Amino acid sequence: MTAPLTAPRTPLGSLSVSPLCLGGNVFGWTADEAESFAVLDAYVAGGGNFIDTADVYSAWAPGNQGGESETVIGNWLASRRNRSDVVIATKVGAPSHPHLRGLSAATITSAVDASLTRLRTDYIDLYYTHYDDESVEVGEFLTTLDELVRAGKVREIAASNISAARLSESLAFSDREGVARYVALQPHYNLVSRDTYEGELADVAARNGLAAVPYYALASGFLTGKYRPETTVDSSRSEKAAQYLATERGCRVLRALDTVATAHEAEIATVALAWLAARPTIAAPIASARTVSQLPPLLAAADLTLTESDMDLLNEASA
C-alpha cells in the first residue's frame, strides 16, 4: 500500500473531501462484499474519505435490482462504525433505475429514504440529481431537495449529467428563491473525453464556484494503460475501453502517458488522474478499484505534480 495521502482536502460546500473520490459502482457487482470491504478499508487507511455511489448501482447486472452498492457501503459503515469520518455521495433519478426514475418530488422523496435505509445512516453528505429530467421544472426538484436538507436527511446537493443551460437555470432558481444550491457537478471527463465537460458546462461551473468531481476519470480502465493493440484483457469493461484503441487520439494519449509516466517513474493511471486533478474546477476525480492491488496508483495521483511540459504534452495529445 502507498503512504497515506498528504494532499490537502478540498471544500465542497460545508464538506471537506480528499483529492481522490472512490467510485462505488463495482461494489456488489464485480467486487463482492468481502472484496469491497477490503478496498474500502484500504482507501480509508490511505487517507481517503470520499465515497461515491448511486441508487441504481448495479441494476445492470443480472439478478440485481439497484441499490447493491449502497447496501455494501451501509454494511461496511455499520461494521466499522466510522460514519462521521467519511463523506458519502449517492444519487437519484437515473432513467435506468427499475422503479424510481426521474426527478419528480414523489420519486426523490421515496428514493432518499430507500438510500438512507440501505446505507444504514440518517443522512447523506452529498446527494446528486443523477440525470437531469427535463420533464420536471427545476423548481420542483430543487424545492424537494431543499426540504431534505432542512430535514437533515441531506447535507449538500450536486448535479450530474445536466446541460449548461439547465444547470444555469437551477443555480439561478436557488439564488432567487433561497433554497438549497448545487455545490458540485459530476461530469463525464477524462483525457479521451474532454468535450463532455470543457467549454460551456465548465464555464458555468467556474462562474458559479462549483467543484467538479468527474466520472469515467480513467475511461473505463483505458487510461490505466492495460489495454493495448497486442493484448487481451479479461474485464467487464474491456469492450468499452478497447474502443478507444480504434481512435488516433486514444493511441496518441497512450503514447503521451507512457512518456510522462516513465519520466516520473509513475503508473499510467496515476498520471491520467494527476492530469485531471490539475485541470480547472476539478476537486476530486472519481476512480474505482475492484481489488486492493488496484488502489495504490489511484491514491498516488494526489501526490504527483506534473510539470508544465507534462501538461502541454498531454493537452496536445488529447486535443
Side-chain angles (χ1 to χ4, degrees):
M1 196 65 202
T2 56
L5 293 171
T6 59
R9 292 186 173 175
T10 301
L12 290 184
S14 61
L15 310 173
S16 180
V17 301
S18 54
L20 175 78
C21 181
L22 182 65
N25 58 315
V26 297
F27 302 150
W29 174 32
T30 55
D32 63 21
E33 184 160 286
E35 292 168 326
S36 301
F37 277 28
V39 168
L40 287 160
D41 286 341
Y43 169 70
V44 170
N49 79 328
F50 191 15
I51 301 164
D52 180 88
T53 185
D55 65 354
V56 75
Y57 297 165
S58 50
W60 56 81
N64 285 1
Q65 297 296 314
E68 288 78 16
S69 173
E70 290 181 330
T71 297
V72 168
I73 293 168
N75 291 344
W76 175 76
L77 291 171
S79 173
R80 303 306 188 254
R81 298 182 180 179
N82 62 350
R83 177 66 186 93
S84 62
D85 298 329
V86 291
V87 174
I88 302 296
T90 192
K91 312 179 192 75
V92 59
S96 58
H97 194 286
H99 311 294
L100 296 168
R101 306 180 186 95
L103 298 177
S104 70
T107 294
I108 293 172
T109 301
S110 296
V112 73
D113 286 339
S115 287
L116 288 168
T117 297
R118 287 188 293 266
L119 289 165
R120 300 175 68 172
T121 184
D122 55 5
Y123 67 97
I124 292 163
D125 295 293
L126 188 64
Y127 200 40
Y128 287 94
T129 48
H130 199 166
Y131 288 81
D132 189 22
D133 179 358
E134 295 194 6
S135 71
V136 178
E137 295 290 336
V138 300
E140 178 177 342
F141 63 75
L142 287 169
T143 300
T144 304
L145 292 169
D146 180 71
E147 291 169 355
L148 299 181
V149 172
R150 293 177 186 276
K153 294 183 178 182
V154 170
R155 294 179 66 190
E156 299 285 2
I157 64 171
S160 184
N161 300 298
I162 190 171
S163 69
R166 283 275 284 188
L167 180 58
S168 294
E169 183 183 355
S170 298
L171 293 167
F173 180 89
S174 294
D175 290 342
R176 184 176 65 250
E177 301 299 326
V179 298
R181 185 182 193 269
Y182 289 140
V183 299
L185 174 68
Q186 188 174 130
H188 176 187
Y189 187 37
N190 58 54
L191 270 165
V192 288
S193 185
R194 292 177 58 179
D195 60 356
T196 46
Y197 180 53
E198 293 178 9
E200 190 177 3
L201 187 58
D203 290 345
V204 172
R207 284 198 306 271
N208 289 277
L210 300 189
V213 184
Y215 71 91
Y216 284 158
L218 291 174
S220 298
F222 176 72
L223 296 173
T224 65
K226 66 183 178 182
Y227 298 92
R228 304 282 180 164
E230 67 279 5
T231 62
T232 300
V233 177
D234 182 16
S235 167
S236 59
R237 301 177 175 185
S238 59
E239 184 175 346
K240 180 180 288 187
Q243 291 174 358
Y244 296 110
L245 285 174
T247 68
E248 176 56 31
R249 178 167 67 170
C251 294
R252 285 198 315 267
V253 166
L254 279 185
R255 290 193 294 269
L257 285 169
D258 284 337
T259 298
V260 177
T262 298
H264 288 275
E265 298 183 340
E267 297 282 348
I268 288 173
T270 305
V271 175
L273 291 173
W275 173 86
L276 194 53
R279 299 295 293 167
T281 74
I282 304 303
I286 301 170
S288 58
R290 183 174 53 82
T291 64
V292 171
S293 64
Q294 294 174 346
L295 262 180
L298 310 184
L299 290 168
D303 293 318
L304 174 61
T305 301
L306 300 179
T307 66
E308 185 176 345
S309 61
D310 292 334
M311 293 296 291
D312 288 344
L313 178 64
L314 293 166
N315 289 339
E316 184 177 346
S318 60

